[in-house]
Structure formats: structure tokens, C-alpha cells
Amino acid sequence: MNQRITKNYQFNYDLKQLRAFLEVAKVKSFSKAAENLFISQPAISRKISQLEEALNCQLFIRENNTVELTPSGEELRNKLPKIFENLAGITESLNSLTKYNKLKIGYTCAAMSSFLPSLIRKTTDKLTGYELIFSEDNTTGLINKVLENNIHCAFIMAQPKHENLITINIRSESMGLMIPDNHPFNSLNEIPIELLKQETIILFPRPQNPSLYDHILEHFHNKNFMPKAIREADSCNAIFGFVAAETGVAFIAESMAGLCMKGTSYKPISQPGPEIKFSFISNRFFLEDWHVTFERLISENYCDDSCFYLNQMDKSFIIQNNL
């Protein structure tokens, strides 16, 4: 009996592959589906190929730049929504059995160095029924975790517009430059961005936050130049270390100026310069009362009228669910 149960629940495919299939089936485009899921087109093509191999059938017909479902694909598309709904119901029913609901909150290092500690202090006494669990990641990683319901919400360095996300914009923050403490720029009160033409810029890899990466490069393009070189580093500590090692200069949030390590210093950039556009994101299909608490705190304390963004569809969704 146990062997039969084990065999019945062994699958050669996973939920990420099924989610990729649903997105391609919806938009009828591999490139658009990849963009919506914040992954590369080769990655989503690989997931679909693996799923087709696991199910031993063809799910899509690809020809002449068009994508259409096969009969097998139509059948799978019709069955999957109910399966995902049942899986979500299991999570909700199990969470209801715990004395304290676990609220998993993601954040980026820049958010934690800026407004987030103050917001956490204001939140603690308003969410007494929750155990707050925090985890750090880059912006793209946090977006994917929210979409996959691995965490409930996140404070990120982008303002994505995705149909499965509710995005609340938080006021932007200027970026400055971390430089070696013996760099000639230390004699300046602020640094015109044109002076970076002969510099090596240390940046996070573009997949970690494509919008911010492109926003920074756009300021170079607007001045008709590119820096001498761009060196990529995976973490804040690595970026700080490379600057201290005199291998380049790095853009950092203004609020991180006090985090400059030994051998580095911070200088403002002449405006207009790059800025970080923070936001609070959550999955619209997994909202509870905690969302209203965060929405109110953010609107009252961490944004102005021009930055607060909650579109009408999001407002209607929250009202309909009594949040």
C-alpha cells in the first residue's frame, strides 16, 4: 500500500513549470510570458520543454512566430486553475491552525537602510496576531517569491506593474556615489555625472533589478557617454569591498552613506541623478488584514500624494475581499 501511494505521488514536473505553461497559454507568446514572470526567454522555453517531456505530449504548436495550444495543451489549461486553487486552499487551512499567523516579509538592503526600520517599529504593535519573519534578497528574487507565494510581501527597489501583484509606491530616494577615500572626487562637494566617463562603475548584475540597472545607464546615455568599464558584484558587501579595494566607484542609496566601510567615502551626485523607486508588493490572490495595515502606514508616513499608487482594480479587489 505504501509503495503504491509513493508511486502515485511521484511527478517528473513541478509547479514552476505548470505556472510557466499557464502564462504562455494566456499570452500566446514565450517572450511576453518570460517578461511577465521576470525570467529569461530561454528559461521559460526550457521549462515548457521539460514539462512536455514529463507529460509525454506536445502542449504548444510553434510556427511562423505564433504560439497555439494543442488539444493536450487545451486540456491542461482547463484543469490547472482548479488544481492551483486547491493547493492555495491547503495553505490557508493549515495556516488557520497555528496560534500566530506567520507573515513572511522580504526586503532589499537599501530598503532596510532607509525607511523600513521605522516602518517595522510602527507595524509591530498593529499586527499582534502575526509572527513577522524577515528575509533579504534582490528585487527580482523578491518579486518571484511573492508571485510564487513563498513570501507574503516585500519592500523592493522597483515599482513593477504586474497583473498578479498589488504595488504600493513609496517615495523615491536619490542615489549618491561611494568612492575610495583617496579618490580625487573627495575634493568635490557633489559629483557631476559627466565625470564618471573615465571611471569603472561597480554595479549589481542586471537580472537582480533590470529597471534600476537600466535607469542608471540611461543617465550615462543622456550625457552621450558610457563609463570606462562596468564591474558587476552580487551583494552590497561585495560592492563596498570592491570600492574599498580601489577597483571602481559605486552608486548607493543616499540613506546608505553612513554604511561606508573603512577606505571609502560618500559623495552626492549633481541632480538630476539616478534615484531608487521603492515599493511595497503583495500577491493579490493571498491578501489578509495585514495588507491594510501596511497600506495605511505607507500612505500616511512614507510617500507623498504624487508617489502613492494603488490602481482602481487593486482598490476594488481589496474592498470586495473586505480588507
Side-chain angles (χ1 to χ4, degrees):
M1 178 66 176
N2 289 339
Q3 290 180 342
R4 187 182 304 118
I5 292 175
T6 301
K7 184 176 180 180
N8 287 343
Y9 289 91
Q10 288 180 339
F11 303 106
N12 295 324
Y13 53 86
D14 58 35
L15 292 178
K16 291 183 179 180
Q17 293 166 352
L18 295 176
R19 180 164 160 260
F21 163 80
L22 277 180
E23 192 65 29
V24 176
K26 176 182 177 182
V27 300
K28 299 294 181 65
S29 166
F30 278 72
S31 59
K32 180 63 176 176
E35 181 181 342
N36 290 346
L37 295 176
F38 299 95
I39 61 177
S40 67
Q41 184 170 338
I44 201 166
S45 296
R46 185 165 56 252
K47 290 181 185 295
I48 297 301
S49 295
Q50 291 169 343
L51 181 60
E52 288 179 326
E53 182 178 352
L55 296 175
N56 194 30
C57 66
Q58 184 178 357
L59 299 172
F60 294 103
I61 300 173
R62 314 166 182 83
E63 57 183 21
N64 298 326
N65 294 323
T66 63
V67 177
E68 298 294 338
L69 287 164
T70 64
S72 297
E74 293 276 5
E75 180 72 8
L76 183 60
R77 183 186 63 178
N78 293 336
K79 289 184 178 296
L80 278 182
K82 185 63 177 178
I83 293 173
F84 278 115
E85 182 181 338
N86 289 338
L87 289 173
I90 292 173
T91 302
E92 292 175 4
S93 62
L94 292 177
N95 286 340
S96 67
L97 297 177
T98 60
K99 182 178 180 180
Y100 291 100
N101 291 322
K102 297 181 184 295
L103 180 56
K104 299 178 181 179
I105 305 170
Y107 64 91
T108 62
C109 61
M112 186 57 79
S113 71
S114 181
F115 60 88
L116 191 52
S118 169
L119 191 149
I120 293 172
R121 288 198 300 270
K122 290 180 171 66
T123 302
T124 303
D125 63 347
K126 298 181 185 299
L127 295 175
T128 54
Y130 289 91
E131 177 187 357
L132 306 185
I133 301 173
F134 295 93
S135 62
E136 182 180 350
D137 204 342
N138 61 66
T139 290
T140 297
L142 292 172
I143 290 173
N144 288 331
K145 287 178 180 178
V146 170
L147 287 171
E148 294 165 6
N149 200 35
N150 292 327
I151 59 177
H152 295 94
C153 54
F155 295 89
I156 62 173
M157 300 158 60
Q159 296 176 347
K161 293 183 180 179
H162 187 286
E163 63 181 357
N164 292 341
L165 292 178
I166 290 181
T167 300
I168 299 178
N169 293 349
I170 298 171
R171 61 173 170 253
S172 301
E173 180 176 328
S174 297
M175 301 188 78
L177 213 62
M178 178 183 284
I179 61 177
D181 60 5
N182 61 354
H183 197 288
F185 286 170
N186 278 290
S187 64
L188 303 176
N189 291 328
E190 59 181 31
I191 302 171
I193 202 162
E194 297 92 333
L195 295 185
L196 301 182
K197 184 175 182 179
Q198 301 302 321
E199 299 295 326
T200 294
I201 308 298
I202 302 169
L203 274 179
F204 50 87
R206 185 177 183 276
Q208 291 186 4
N209 191 338
S211 62
L212 181 57
Y213 191 102
D214 293 345
H215 174 65
I216 292 172
L217 264 58
E218 182 182 4
H219 280 75
F220 300 144
H221 294 153
N222 290 342
K223 297 295 183 179
N224 299 313
F225 79 93
M226 281 297 290
K228 180 176 69 174
I230 293 178
R231 178 194 295 272
E232 294 187 345
D234 284 332
S235 67
C236 288
N237 286 337
I239 290 173
F240 295 172
F242 279 126
V243 175
E246 302 179 20
T247 64
V249 300
F251 288 94
I252 63 171
E254 187 177 47
S255 59
M256 300 179 76
L259 301 181
C260 288
M261 64 169 55
K262 184 178 180 181
T264 68
S265 61
Y266 173 84
K267 288 290 180 179
I269 293 175
S270 301
Q271 296 302 308
E275 60 181 14
I276 297 175
K277 297 181 178 179
F278 291 106
S279 72
F280 171 73
I281 61 170
S282 52
N283 189 317
R284 68 168 57 251
F285 299 108
F286 299 97
L287 298 182
E288 296 180 34
D289 55 352
W290 52 263
H291 190 276
V292 171
T293 298
F294 280 117
E295 180 189 335
R296 288 173 179 166
L297 285 173
I298 292 170
S299 65
E300 292 170 1
N301 301 280
Y302 301 98
C303 68
D304 51 38
D305 292 340
S306 62
C307 85
F308 187 74
Y309 172 80
L310 186 62
N311 66 41
Q312 194 60 44
M313 182 182 296
D314 293 339
K315 292 178 182 177
S316 298
F317 186 89
I318 292 172
I319 292 171
Q320 290 171 6
N321 286 273
N322 297 317
L323 294 178

